[in-house]
Amino acid sequence: MSAAVADVAAPDKEVSTAIAKAALAGFELVRMADGSFVVGRWGMVRSLEGMAAVQAFLVRVGALA
């Protein structure tokens, strides 16, 4: 795999991992077209701007150590 392909795949892997971690904690995490994210559970949703905000949210809810 070339370095260019690895660079493109890395964010997708990071996003996929965050989506899986959120799901295991009972949340739905959706990546929006503009690069932001929406996380929800029980009909309540929150907008998150970027992966840093997603990581902070997952730590706050106990999905990440």
Side-chain angles (χ1 to χ4, degrees), residues 31-55:
R31 185 179 189 177
M32 305 307 287
D34 66 355
S36 66
F37 295 86
V38 174
V39 65
R41 177 163 78 170
W42 302 325
M44 312 216 14
V45 296
R46 172 182 284 182
S47 178
L48 302 170
E49 296 296 324
M51 279 307 294
V54 169
Q55 299 293 337

Side-chain angles (χ1 to χ4, degrees), residues 8-45:
V8 171
D12 289 336
K13 182 179 182 207
E14 185 179 17
V15 169
S16 296
T17 300
I19 290 170
K21 297 267 185 187
L24 288 171
F27 292 91
E28 182 180 11
L29 181 64
V30 179
R31 185 179 189 177
M32 305 307 287
D34 66 355
S36 66
F37 295 86
V38 174
V39 65
R41 177 163 78 170
W42 302 325
M44 312 216 14
V45 296

